[in-house]
């Protein structure tokens, strides 16, 4: 009969050995240190070939067949965005993108479109963000013609029904009324204004007055200016034949009139490095939300790859210095975070931040600035470098786990003027980053003596007056009231 205790020990030995754990209870098995485990180099990801076609009307297509499921998906991108809306009508782009779909077309109401899509388990959506407009469609292969016809109708012939415009404006007003409810949202929003300026297209916000200024004629004009085939990029992936799909798309959009493509480039960011100390008073909370930092960079910067590694060492989750030192060792924060962010066409933000009790606010700010300074003082350790690079490289494969990600990313790179293999080049360049590179970019791009500090909380409870860090500006987040009818 097998001894039960012996069986349990043997099973445990096998499990521990398989996990690479230290284990001294198995006879004849030497202890194994997990730090000495060696893994083979990750294999290169094989990226499927995406078909690229430009139609006679100027629409650029990106097509990738995937016959695993009987589904077809489409994603469309237009060069537009809230960056192009007038300052006195902030919110126009967002409402236009929403009502294009909800307001129906010249032949069908939005509700009728909802019912038709629901009957075939399909979806068609539209929207407009900061620097692009989007549309999407998902449909069963057998209903492709129906879904494509609805998508084309929505993009070409939006009715902008007045009742749906009023509903969208009502939703915007509701969001304005609630924008100061969440302390974290306040901190992120107001920090963005410090970096870009409150009137910048990258930081400005809707107000009751700007929403009231928007009319149906504004939506019609905005759509007419930006929505045409020569200003559109369309990605499609799924169960289809490429030649047949090109013909179907060409037919669906063949009579669509072109638009004038003489559009301005993305607005430039004029940033002056300077030290400022700012506070948003919230007397109904007992903790502080803190941000500090300055302007970030562009993904086209040659230093971008070393900055990825630096960023992970400083603020990379549980293994980053901020988490280990500010949260775990000092015990100052409920959460701590940091990022040197970079965008495609305008600079991102560099920031570190935390949530901490009111009584440790200033101490936590000093501790975070100290961590930024330390990045410039000496090279990171071999272990930090290896862990940061591995955490990026080991997750690289997830950029290719769906065909939609692959084809949409390719479309995004072309939209912003980046090479089609930018992601693969990012991997290759991150692999080459050295400790000297991390120190160099930290010294070049970080300016801990010129960070803008923002604390959202109850200043009367701070451990020290915030003025200990410098002259303090109090930011007023009062929401301008709506106009009386």
């Amino acid at each position: 009969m097998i001894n039960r205790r012996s069986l349990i020990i043997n099973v445990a030995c096998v499990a521990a050995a398989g996990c690479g754990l230290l284990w001294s209870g198995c006879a004849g098995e030497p202890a194994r240190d997990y730090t000495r485990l060696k893994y083979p180099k990750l294999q290169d990801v094989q990226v499927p070939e995406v078909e690229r076609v430009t139609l006679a009307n100027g629409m650029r297509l990106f097509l990738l067949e995937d016959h695993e499921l009987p589904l077809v998906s489409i994603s469309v991108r237009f060069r537009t965005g809230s960056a192009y809306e007038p300052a006195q009508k902030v919110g126009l782009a967002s409402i236009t993108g929403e009502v294009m779909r909800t307001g129906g077309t010249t032949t069908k109401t939005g509700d009728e479109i909802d019912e038709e899509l629901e009957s075939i388990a399909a979806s068609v959506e539209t929207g407009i963000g900061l620097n692009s407009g989007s549309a999407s469609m998902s449909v069963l292969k057998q209903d492709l013609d129906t879904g494509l016809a609805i998508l084309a109708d929505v993009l070409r012939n939006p009715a902008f029904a007045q009742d749906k415009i009023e509903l969208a404006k009502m939703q915007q007003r509701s969001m304005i009324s609630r924008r100061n409810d969440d302390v974290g949202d306040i901190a992120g929003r107001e920090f963005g204004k410090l970096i870009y300026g409150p009137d910048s297209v990258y930081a400005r916000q809707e107000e009751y007055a700007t929403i009231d200024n928007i009319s149906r004629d504004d939506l019609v004009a905005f759509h007419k200016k930006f929505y045409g085939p020569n200003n559109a990029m369309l990605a499609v992936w799924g169960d289809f034949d490429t030649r047949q799909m090109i013909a179907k798309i060409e037919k669906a959009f063949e009579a669509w009139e072109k638009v004038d493509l003489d559009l301005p480039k993305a607005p430039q960011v004029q940033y002056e490095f300077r030290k400022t100390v700012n506070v948003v008073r919230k007397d109904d909370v007992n903790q502080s939300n803190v941000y500090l930092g300055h302007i970030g960079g562009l993904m086209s910067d040659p230093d971008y790859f070393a900055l990825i590694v630096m960023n992970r060492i400083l603020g990379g989750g549980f293994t980053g210095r901020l988490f280990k030192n500010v949260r775990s060792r000092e015990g100052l924060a409920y959460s701590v975070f940091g990022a040197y962010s970079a965008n495609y066409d305008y600079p991102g933000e560099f920031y570190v931040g935390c949530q901490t009790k009111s009584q440790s606010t200033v101490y936590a700010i000093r501790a975070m600035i100290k961590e930024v300074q330390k990045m410039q003082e000496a090279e990171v350790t071999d272990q930090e470098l290896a862990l940061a690079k591995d955490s990026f490289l080991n997750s690289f494969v997830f950029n290719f786990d769906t065909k939609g990600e692959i084809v949409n990313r390719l479309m995004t790179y072309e939209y912003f003027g980046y090479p089609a293999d930018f992601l693969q080049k990012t991997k290759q360049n991150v692999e080459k980053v050295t400790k000297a590179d991390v120190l160099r970019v930290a010294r070049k791009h970080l300016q801990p003596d010129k960070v803008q500090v923002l604390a959202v909380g109850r200043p009367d409870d701070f451990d020290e007056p915030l003025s200990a860090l410098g002259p303090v500006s109090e930011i007023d987040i009062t929401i301008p009231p709506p106009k009386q009818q």
Side-chain angles (χ1 to χ4, degrees):
M1 179 179 294
I2 297 176
N3 183 281
R4 177 179 174 81
R5 182 173 181 275
S6 175
L7 176 62
I8 292 174
I9 290 176
N10 287 333
V11 170
C13 290
V14 172
C19 295
L21 299 175
L22 287 173
W23 184 260
S24 58
C26 302
E29 286 290 329
R32 301 176 67 191
D33 185 347
Y34 77 95
T35 61
R36 297 181 181 177
L37 294 177
K38 302 296 183 183
Y39 301 96
K41 182 181 177 181
L42 294 174
Q43 297 181 1
D44 291 334
V45 177
Q46 299 300 313
V47 183
E49 189 69 26
V50 176
E51 182 88 10
R52 300 169 62 167
V53 176
T54 300
L55 302 182
N57 62 9
M59 181 181 284
R60 286 172 284 175
L61 306 185
F62 302 79
L63 306 100
L64 181 58
E65 295 184 23
D66 178 10
H67 302 287
E68 184 175 357
L69 294 172
L71 300 172
V72 177
S73 298
I74 287 179
S75 175
V76 193
R77 171 166 277 177
F78 295 87
R79 190 166 300 282
T80 181
S82 61
Y84 295 103
E85 65 192 4
Q88 69 274 20
K89 296 184 180 183
V90 176
L92 170 60
S94 175
I95 293 175
T96 301
E98 179 180 347
V99 183
M100 276 180 63
R101 169 64 179 82
T102 62
T105 70
T106 54
T107 57
K108 299 176 183 177
T109 68
D111 295 338
E112 288 172 341
I113 292 175
D114 290 341
E115 292 176 3
E116 186 172 4
L117 290 170
E118 186 176 349
S119 70
I120 59 173
S123 68
V124 170
E125 304 295 339
T126 61
I128 299 178
L130 171 65
N131 52 16
S132 68
S134 64
S136 64
M137 184 207 75
S138 178
V139 68
L140 291 169
K141 176 183 180 180
Q142 65 194 42
D143 299 310
L144 172 61
D145 291 343
T146 301
L148 185 57
I150 293 174
L151 175 66
D153 194 23
V154 166
L155 294 178
R156 294 173 54 185
N157 309 304
F160 294 117
Q162 189 64 46
D163 62 329
K164 298 300 184 181
I165 294 174
E166 293 305 321
L167 178 59
K169 292 171 76 170
M170 185 184 305
Q171 292 169 337
Q172 289 284 348
R173 294 186 187 103
S174 177
M175 288 190 289
I176 292 171
S177 71
R178 293 181 283 108
R179 73 180 179 209
N180 290 338
D181 291 352
D182 185 274
V183 180
D185 290 345
I186 295 170
R189 181 189 75 218
E190 296 302 322
F191 183 75
K193 291 182 184 180
L194 290 174
I195 300 302
Y196 299 113
D199 299 323
S200 167
V201 298
Y202 304 118
R204 64 190 183 184
Q205 60 193 13
E206 297 87 349
E207 301 290 357
Y208 292 120
T210 66
I211 299 301
D212 291 342
N213 288 338
I214 297 169
S215 68
R216 181 181 181 278
D217 288 344
D218 294 323
L219 273 67
V220 172
F222 197 87
H223 173 268
K224 184 177 181 180
K225 180 176 181 179
F226 295 103
Y227 280 75
N230 55 328
N231 196 33
M233 305 170 73
L234 186 150
V236 55
W237 63 99
D239 191 9
F240 59 83
D241 174 82
T242 296
R243 295 302 119 196
Q244 293 177 1
M245 178 60 72
I246 293 172
K248 287 179 182 291
I249 294 172
E250 198 165 26
K251 182 173 177 57
F253 295 99
E254 64 181 349
W256 201 6
E257 294 184 6
K258 294 183 178 181
V259 295
D260 183 3
L261 292 182
D262 187 20
L263 301 176
K265 293 184 178 180
Q268 296 295 303
V269 176
Q270 304 297 329
Y271 187 80
E272 176 188 351
F273 283 92
R274 62 198 183 281
K275 178 180 178 181
T276 70
V277 182
N278 309 271
V279 64
V280 174
R281 179 177 290 274
K282 284 283 288 181
D283 289 332
D284 57 342
V285 298
N286 59 8
Q287 68 178 40
S288 299
N289 276 252
V290 176
Y291 274 73
L292 59 91
H294 48 66
I295 197 73
L298 291 166
M299 294 170 67
S300 56
D301 189 326
D303 289 339
Y304 171 64
F305 315 106
L307 287 165
I308 290 175
V309 179
M310 182 206 75
N311 181 58
R312 288 178 177 256
I313 293 171
L314 177 61
F318 297 115
T319 60
R321 290 184 177 184
L322 287 170
F323 188 93
K324 290 191 293 186
N325 296 331
V326 177
R327 186 183 188 276
S328 298
R329 188 186 68 194
E330 296 279 4
L332 291 172
Y334 308 114
S335 69
V336 63
F337 48 86
Y340 189 98
S341 69
N343 296 320
Y344 289 106
D345 59 343
Y346 71 98
E349 303 171 4
F350 165 67
Y351 59 85
V352 298
C354 71
Q355 294 176 330
T356 186
K357 62 184 179 181
S358 301
Q359 293 78 8
S360 58
T361 301
V362 176
Y363 190 83
I365 291 171
R366 289 197 174 105
M368 291 190 294
I369 293 176
K370 182 178 179 181
E371 291 303 323
V372 178
Q373 291 171 334
K374 286 165 60 178
M375 292 298 301
Q376 299 181 312
E377 293 172 357
E379 290 185 350
V380 300
T381 66
D382 292 332
Q383 184 179 12
E384 286 178 316
L385 180 71
L387 186 58
K389 291 169 70 171
D390 286 347
S391 66
F392 174 84
L393 297 171
N394 291 342
S395 63
F396 184 77
V397 66
F398 296 110
N399 291 294
F400 304 91
D401 56 353
T402 70
K403 297 295 193 296
E405 287 183 354
I406 295 170
V407 69
N408 272 294
R409 182 168 50 249
L410 182 61
M411 184 170 66
T412 297
Y413 287 156
E414 180 154 327
Y415 182 88
F416 289 109
Y418 282 67
D421 61 347
F422 180 73
L423 188 62
Q424 291 90 322
K425 288 183 176 178
T426 299
K427 174 180 178 292
Q428 296 165 5
N429 282 292
V430 166
E431 289 175 330
K432 299 175 184 177
V433 172
T434 66
K435 293 187 296 183
D437 290 329
V438 174
L439 181 61
R440 175 181 58 80
V441 297
R443 288 175 171 173
K444 178 180 177 181
H445 293 274
L446 302 184
Q447 299 203 27
D449 59 330
K450 294 180 181 178
V451 293
Q452 302 204 64
V453 177
L454 173 66
V456 182
R458 184 179 171 86
D460 296 343
D461 295 341
F462 291 176
D463 47 333
E464 293 181 64
L466 206 56
S467 57
L469 302 172
V472 179
S473 297
E474 183 163 343
I475 298 174
D476 183 8
I477 59 170
T478 302
I479 301 170
K483 189 190 322 181
Q484 295 298 322
Q485 300 295 332

